[in-house]
Amino acid sequence: MNLEDVIAIIPARCGSRRIRHKNLRQVLGKSLLKRAIDRTRVALPLARIVVSTDCEAVADRGRRSGADIVLLRASKSRAEADTEPLWQVSRDVLVQ
């Protein structure tokens, strides 16, 4: 398998039980999302990086950081969001 065939999926929901928009919070000048994208790019330089999110603000930050985006509909409850099946995100990525 070539690294060009690899798809790295970074799940980044907008909601959090304790810290609202935590993926957009700045730590030493970079958002947590940007850090995840940058580290993935170092680890898998040729891979396609996809951010899976239910939030337009996270999607926008991901796009500006060079990732592709899969927007999921917001779940009705946190429990549903916590169990979002990875296969559904993977299917959406492969269809795009």
Side-chain angles (χ1 to χ4, degrees), residues 78-94:
R78 285 188 182 136
E80 289 175 358
D82 289 344
T83 58
E84 182 72 43
L86 184 57
W87 65 265
Q88 181 181 351
V89 174
S90 300
R91 182 201 63 209
D92 292 345
V93 168
L94 294 174

Side-chain angles (χ1 to χ4, degrees), residues 26-74:
Q26 298 282 312
V27 176
L28 299 175
K30 280 189 186 179
S31 70
L32 295 177
L33 178 62
K34 174 105 171 90
R35 287 178 179 282
I37 291 169
D38 289 350
R39 295 309 303 159
T40 302
R41 191 166 285 120
V42 168
L44 301 167
L46 300 177
R48 178 179 175 200
I49 300 172
V50 177
V51 173
S52 168
T53 187
D54 59 352
C55 176
E56 191 56 50
V58 171
D60 183 55
R61 184 75 52 92
R63 279 185 206 99
R64 286 188 283 140
S65 296
D68 294 330
I69 304 299
V70 173
L71 271 172
L72 303 173
R73 63 176 166 70

Side-chain angles (χ1 to χ4, degrees), residues 1-8 44 46-49:
M1 174 176 20
N2 295 323
L3 280 180
E4 295 96 5
D5 299 329
V6 173
I7 299 172
L44 301 167
L46 300 177
R48 178 179 175 200
I49 300 172

